Amino acid sequence: MSTRALTDERLVAALRAGEPGAYDAIDDRYRAPLVRFARRVLGASRAQVAEDVVQEALLRAYRALLRDDRPMALRPWLYRLTRNCCLDELSRVRTDTVDLALIEGGAGALAAPAHLEPAVAVEGRARLRQVIDDLAVLPESQRHALVRRELDGITHAQLARELGMSEPAARSLVHRARGTLAKIEGGRRAGCDEVRDELLAAHDARRRPQARALRHLAACPACRDFRTALRAERRALRMLAPAPLLLTVLGAGGGLSLKLGGGAGVSKGGALTTASVVAVAGVASMVGAQEVFGPGDPAPVALSSPALPAHGIDKGVALPRGTSVVRRAVTIRAGAQRVPRTVRLTCPAGLAVADLLPPSGARLNVSYAPGTVMGVADTAAVRLALSGPAPVHDRKAIVSILCKRPDATGSLRWSAAAQGP
């Protein structure tokens, strides 16, 4: 079957598949109506460049269609692209050339009219460019209505027929477009200090900034950079730890307890406990190299973490893909008064530090040392501290971390679809 008999959707698919003639079929189908449309948008003074504008639009379309495989409603998209190219053409500043030999009246004849003096002309050009930029951020329907009404000069009745709506609805659309432009101008005139105060207040309250501040951001790169810096700061702080957790080993039996911010903790058996953490210096030594349990290996202990399926797996259950447990043994010497400041654990290639697991064996508190960034670092520096008196006999403790492959957004939270093979 000839490509010219295909639907728009199949033509786009054929073009992306590299089928010869697909682009020529799109060109043949739409070039002539797009040229007629461009002439109406450009007006009589620019009608002669309509074919050049459409050529530019079709070239942009060709590049965009090959860039990705998004579903595409070809006809309305080509018309929007052609309109944008027309607006670009109208925004360009053009000057006419005059043969100086034809000018009579001496040097005074070369003086520009008052309204074309350099300062006035520059101001006018800047204003025109600003109007074009403001038009570009309008919703598509509002921009179409306003340009057709103001530039093309069509009536509200003609606009209503073109858009397939009632005349009052067309009037309302043009009215909303003018109102939106006025609001954009008002946001531009807002002072940077005022806007940044609003951005800080919204950031602290974790709410959306006011509409006037957002409109100002559209026209102020410095304030956009300010907001980006605020967001980057929040992301960096979030990566440090998922919550202010303090893991503490309590009780004579060495039962594990999770303590939240110095308040109540949840013990291994599920009972609520309260305890104060006593950091006592002691001496310890590293025992052997780190152990790595990879995907498919049985979990060495029961694991609990948001980075795991259902937030945890039982001991002996195979570790899921994209995760590993890395651990190292530490010996606490009898009567010791010091412990190692840090233990370093390194994740396998491609994985990042996802969680700090409760220690086993001796009564230890564990926490990340400064510089360990969850989801980014592949090595964790783990601080150790005794949570009770120094042991009477040598005790061995196991310090462990959970490693995981972050998803495309950098999240460590478990998602089966985001895991690799």
Side-chain angles (χ1 to χ4, degrees), residues 263-284:
V266 181
S267 69
K268 190 176 183 179
L272 289 175
T273 65
T274 58
S276 59
V277 178
V278 182
V280 179
V283 169

Side-chain angles (χ1 to χ4, degrees), residues 134-372:
D134 290 349
L135 282 173
V137 302
L138 285 178
E140 177 64 25
S141 59
Q142 293 185 18
R143 182 173 60 196
H144 177 91
L146 189 61
V147 170
R148 293 288 282 150
R149 173 68 179 146
E150 299 298 338
L151 295 185
D152 298 345
I154 67 174
T155 65
H156 289 107
Q158 291 173 322
L159 179 62
R161 287 194 297 272
E162 183 176 299
L163 297 179
M165 60 176 60
S166 66
E167 185 173 341
R171 289 180 180 273
S172 176
L173 194 59
V174 174
H175 178 75
R176 290 202 305 272
R178 292 193 180 110
T180 302
L181 288 179
K183 290 178 180 178
I184 292 174
E185 179 64 23
R188 185 181 301 115
R189 292 177 179 177
C192 289
D193 290 342
E194 175 188 348
V195 170
R196 294 183 186 186
D197 286 344
E198 166 60 18
L199 293 176
L200 283 170
H203 181 82
D204 291 341
R206 296 179 181 273
R207 62 170 173 80
R208 181 181 174 85
Q210 295 177 357
R212 187 181 185 190
L214 294 177
R215 288 192 291 268
H216 178 88
L217 291 178
C220 182
C223 288
R224 287 199 301 271
D225 292 343
F226 180 81
R227 191 188 190 196
T228 300
L230 286 178
R231 289 174 168 176
E233 175 187 304
R234 175 172 289 171
R235 285 195 298 269
L237 290 174
R238 282 177 176 171
M239 287 192 300
L240 292 177
L245 303 181
L246 180 61
L247 295 170
T248 310
V249 182
L250 301 172
L256 292 177
S257 168
L258 180 62
K259 194 158 187 288
L260 304 177
V266 181
S267 69
K268 190 176 183 179
L272 289 175
T273 65
T274 58
S276 59
V277 178
V278 182
V280 179
V283 169
S285 63
M286 308 302 299
V287 179
Q290 68 176 23
E291 293 180 280
V292 178
F293 297 80
D297 292 340
V301 294
L303 304 175
S304 177
S305 171
L308 294 171
H311 287 196
I313 59 176
D314 294 330
K315 179 179 179 180
V317 174
L319 291 172
R321 63 185 183 274
T323 62
S324 291
V325 173
V326 180
R327 65 181 193 171
R328 188 186 293 274
V330 178
T331 298
I332 309 299
R333 300 300 181 187
Q337 296 300 311
R338 292 182 180 275
V339 295
R341 291 184 177 179
T342 58
V343 173
R344 301 187 71 82
L345 300 169
T346 302
C347 295
L351 305 186
V353 178
D355 213 341
L356 182 56
L357 303 175
S360 61
R363 299 176 182 178
L364 290 176
N365 295 329
V366 293
S367 61
Y368 290 120
T372 300

Side-chain angles (χ1 to χ4, degrees), residues 38 41-42 52-61 78-92:
V41 175
L42 292 169
D52 294 338
V53 169
V54 171
Q55 179 63 31
E56 174 66 19
L58 289 173
L59 179 60
R60 292 185 188 180
L78 286 176
Y79 274 84
R80 287 197 302 270
L81 194 57
T82 302
R83 174 171 292 283
N84 289 339
C85 289
C86 289
L87 293 177
D88 290 344
E89 175 65 24
L90 291 172
S91 70
R92 293 193 181 101

